[in-house]
Amino acid sequence: MPKNAIESKSKMWNLWHGCHKLSAGCQHCYVYRGDAKRDIDSSVVAKTKNFELPIQKKRNDEYKIPSGTLVYTCFTSDFFVEDADLWRGEAWEMMRVRQDLHFIMITKRIDRLQETLPADWGDGYDNVTICCTIENQDRADYRLPIYKAAPIKHKILICEPLLERIDLQSYDICSWIEQVVVGGESGYNTRPCNFDWVMELHDVCVENKVSFWFKQTGAKFIKDGKLYDIKRQFQHSQARKAGINLK
Ligand code: SF4
């Protein structure tokens, strides 16, 4: 992912909305939590009015999203959810046309990547980062071999919500992962995240010289055997205070 894009500007592109719960990490999905407040059924997947945002233009014929922008893609769904199969081709095409933008998406359905790629994908578009989420060892052992073999130019591993200790030792992460991101679970009735598990992932990254970002603690956080309730507004800053991020 181009560093200057991150430092300059970013934009959210939620091209479809809604999803289906798939694995343990989905239990307290923020899409479902947000929709519940507005009485929206999150299991209905529908295109949004922003579907064509990357190619929309202003009156002066300039694109609405300026060149060099980092585009957070599909953050109220999963880009590879089955319901969106008919629309995904157009989405890939917009990413191909806007090579001056960098698109980043997160998926729990990395096992659907191969069957949904555009014909000219090759070993990946330079301007697309696809992040794979794992939440426990079981999903790590299922998704990581698929993710490792997948033709993607930029790979970031997201361990969030981290629900248990995850051993990455056997995955040779230095050769194919750009960054590991770790976080706890937010919301109500959340499952705790233990700082020891975070540190184990951190140590693997140190060993393998891979960038590491402890993004947020989650609402329930265990440190030195003590359980802390952390309010939403402090979950990111508390993680930062741990001082364990690696560039
Ligand atoms: S895959 Fe992501 S968006 Fe879909 S239900 Fe699970 S957590 Fe929510």
Side-chain angles (χ1 to χ4, degrees), residues 18-23 25-32 74-78 81 106-109 133 161:
C19 196
H20 306 291
K21 294 190 178 184
L22 182 73
S23 60
C26 297
Q27 193 175 322
H28 299 125
C29 169
Y30 69 97
V31 178
Y32 274 75
C74 210
F75 273 63
T76 60
S77 181
D78 186 316
V81 71
I106 300 175
T107 186
K108 284 189 171 64
R109 292 172 170 82
T133 308

Side-chain angles (χ1 to χ4, degrees), residues 193-197 199 221-228:
C193 178
N194 192 315
F195 190 56
D196 293 345
W197 311 337
M199 281 310 293
F221 191 60
I222 298 170
K223 187 157 187 287
D224 299 328
K226 191 172 171 204
L227 176 67
Y228 296 89

